Amino acid sequence: MTPTPGLLGNITNGVSALDPTTGDSDGYAKSKFANLAIASEVLGHEWRTHRCMQSVLGGKVSVERTVHGDGCGKPHYRGLLTCGSVWTCPVCAAKIAAKRADEIKSVAKNAVAIGYQAVLVTYTLQHTIHDPLDILLTDLKTAIRYNKSGRAHERFNSRHGVLGYVRGIEIRYGKNGWHPHAHELLFVRPGVDGNVDCDDIKRSINQRYGKKLADLGYLVNDATIDVRTTGTDNETVSQYLTKTAVELEITGNELKSGKSLSPFQLLSFADQHEYANLFREYAHSTKGKMMLTWSRNLRSLSDLDELTDEEIAAMPDGEIETETDGEIDGEVVDGEIETELILVLDRVQWKRVVAAELRADLLLACDRLTALDLEMWLIHSGIVAAAEMPKCRSRRTREGS
């Protein structure tokens, strides 16, 4: 089954997060909203994702920009419903993944500071084109849970001085069907020589994890478990654990070269019935599941807020605290935090934005255009009539005023 990229109507022709892989904020934001529109159409009205960044919570939708010190943030929306799904919504997933990646990076930094070393463990399982995703996910979880239980696991933790772990689920689809696997960042004490015995870690995990997989009928071999040290690049590792949530675009001839696709990349082919069904299968298989799992007390290393995915998704971009808050280009800046209210739209005007698939373009226009040019763009795009413009004027206020 070789897909040809296509459109659902003109949905994918339809700008506030930065693409973590290319740094292209405009293209990434366009991809998020384009894929959200496709996911909404594929899943249908019974899914909360269908109404995400579309339904108005009050009578107005505003475009705001949070300004830190001397630097300006990206425009973002306020007053819209968010679904909070890290699995099915590319807009919410990107925001949640950015926050979770920052949390992982913070914990990893503090763990290394007190003498631990991060090891990346990857759990895989055999799969074929005929295996349903929900069965694969269930068996993957069962085998991991078995490995993490009992006295054998306690001895493993004692032998390697395990502080804890954070584990993320990655799901891809390729020529051999669904390929779910887990990436685990395991914090251990290095030996007296300063090194970590990755071979012993792999052997120990494979004895337990591999045994359970074999009991479930899977083929187990040397590639079932991969263990490697991570070095000091905590940012790359943290993004690795959350990359299912941020991979949106096709970046070449992935399927032609035999490479697999992320679920959001499948949406590029959603006008072909088979691929729309694959995304629906993925949505049903992941519903209610956690993408990230933390071991007990590990989050306390960085005193992290206990925010749910839904709470993170509902927060305007400028209100989500990260390790780099108060920094511009890596340098700490001082000054009050202000909120610039760029634009206010009523329900009718917002419906025009959604109908014309201009949600991403509106953010880009608010970011790049002068006030006069923005007015002209709004009128030319059919979002606002000339007589309505006085109600849409911007203002800037200090946070909390």
Side-chain angles (χ1 to χ4, degrees):
M1 182 169 56
T2 302
T4 17
L7 307 176
L8 278 178
N10 62 357
I11 284 177
T12 57
N13 285 332
V15 175
S16 120
L18 182 69
D19 182 342
T21 58
T22 69
D24 176 12
S25 60
D26 298 350
Y28 186 59
K30 278 181 173 288
S31 294
K32 287 192 303 179
F33 281 100
N35 277 285
L36 174 57
I38 301 172
S40 173
E41 184 170 334
V42 168
L43 294 177
H45 292 272
E46 64 271 21
W47 288 79
R48 187 174 170 88
T49 297
H50 183 82
R51 303 186 299 278
C52 186
M53 301 301 294
Q54 177 173 325
S55 297
V56 181
L57 293 177
K60 306 284 185 181
V61 177
S62 61
V63 181
E64 302 177 356
R65 188 201 319 266
T66 301
V67 183
H68 296 267
D70 296 328
C72 291
K74 290 286 185 180
H76 55 265
Y77 292 118
R78 184 188 290 270
L80 295 172
L81 179 143
T82 54
C83 66
S85 174
V86 73
W87 299 110
T88 61
C89 176
V91 175
C92 289
K95 185 185 293 187
I96 295 164
K99 175 64 173 176
R100 299 306 187 201
D102 192 79
E103 292 176 343
I104 295 169
K105 183 172 64 173
S106 175
V107 168
K109 178 181 176 181
N110 290 337
V112 171
I114 59 175
Y116 289 89
Q117 188 167 335
V119 174
L120 185 63
V121 180
T122 300
Y123 300 83
T124 67
L125 75 171
Q126 175 197 26
H127 56 94
T128 71
I129 192 71
H130 305 292
D131 292 322
L133 178 58
D134 60 339
I135 298 299
L136 292 172
L137 285 172
T138 297
D139 291 346
L140 177 68
K141 180 179 179 180
T142 298
I144 291 175
R145 181 180 294 173
Y146 179 78
N147 174 62
K148 296 287 186 183
S149 64
R151 292 185 178 180
H153 181 60
E154 292 177 1
R155 291 193 296 270
F156 172 86
N157 285 347
S158 177
R159 185 165 70 254
H160 291 282
V162 174
L163 173 67
Y165 64 87
V166 55
R167 183 172 59 250
I169 299 297
E170 181 182 3
I171 300 172
R172 303 190 69 82
Y173 187 87
K175 62 181 181 180
N176 293 320
W178 290 110
H179 176 39
H181 48 289
H183 301 293
E184 181 177 278
L185 203 58
L186 184 68
F187 297 98
V188 300
R189 285 282 188 187
V192 293
D193 59 355
N195 296 317
V196 173
D197 191 347
C198 291
D199 290 337
D200 183 67
I201 292 176
K202 178 177 180 176
R203 183 169 51 252
S204 299
I205 293 177
N206 221 5
Q207 285 176 353
R208 301 270 296 164
Y209 174 78
K211 178 183 182 304
K212 179 54 69 172
L213 282 185
D215 291 344
L216 293 170
Y218 291 88
L219 175 67
V220 177
N221 55 36
D222 190 60
T224 301
I225 291 290
D226 182 75
V227 179
R228 63 187 66 185
T229 56
T230 64
T232 58
D233 191 356
N234 294 327
E235 183 167 359
T236 299
V237 171
S238 63
Q239 291 176 349
Y240 196 68
L241 264 67
T242 57
K243 68 179 182 177
T244 286
V246 296
E247 287 188 308
L248 300 176
E249 293 186 305
I250 306 297
T251 55
N253 297 318
E254 279 90 345
L255 288 187
K256 290 182 180 179
S257 63
K259 293 183 179 179
S260 58
L261 300 177
S262 75
F264 290 141
Q265 289 172 334
L266 287 173
L267 292 173
S268 296
F269 311 108
D271 58 346
Q272 298 178 49
H273 186 67
E274 301 94 329
Y275 284 82
N277 282 340
L278 284 173
F279 190 80
R280 293 188 191 101
E281 179 188 355
Y282 158 79
H284 284 285
S285 299
T286 56
K287 189 174 184 179
K289 292 181 170 61
M290 299 289 293
M291 181 175 283
L292 278 184
T293 303
W294 295 77
S295 63
R296 190 176 304 169
N297 300 325
L298 185 62
R299 291 174 61 88
S300 62
L301 270 183
S302 295
D303 193 26
L304 300 176
D305 295 330
E306 295 296 334
L307 295 174
T308 66
D309 289 349
E310 291 79 7
E311 289 170 334
I312 294 172
M315 296 172 65
D317 291 356
E319 294 181 6
I320 300 177
E321 296 183 2
T322 68
E323 271 202 324
T324 55
D325 279 353
E327 297 181 8
I328 302 296
D329 293 331
E331 297 183 4
V332 178
V333 296
D334 297 320
E336 293 179 314
I337 297 176
E338 296 181 330
T339 298
E340 179 186 3
L341 178 58
I342 303 173
L343 186 68
V344 177
L345 301 175
D346 61 30
R347 285 178 174 269
V348 173
Q349 294 162 344
W350 178 249
K351 284 184 179 180
R352 297 170 188 159
V353 173
V354 175
E357 274 306 318
L358 292 173
R359 286 175 291 184
D361 300 86
L362 177 56
L363 289 178
L364 177 59
C366 289
D367 189 36
R368 301 291 176 80
L369 301 181
T370 64
L372 180 59
D373 287 340
L374 178 59
E375 290 185 10
M376 296 298 294
W377 183 86
L378 289 167
I379 295 171
H380 177 75
S381 300
I383 298 172
V384 178
E388 299 171 329
M389 280 311 306
K391 298 179 181 180
C392 304
R393 305 294 184 185
S394 66
R395 71 177 187 270
R396 180 174 291 191
T397 60
R398 291 181 179 178
E399 191 173 83
S401 62

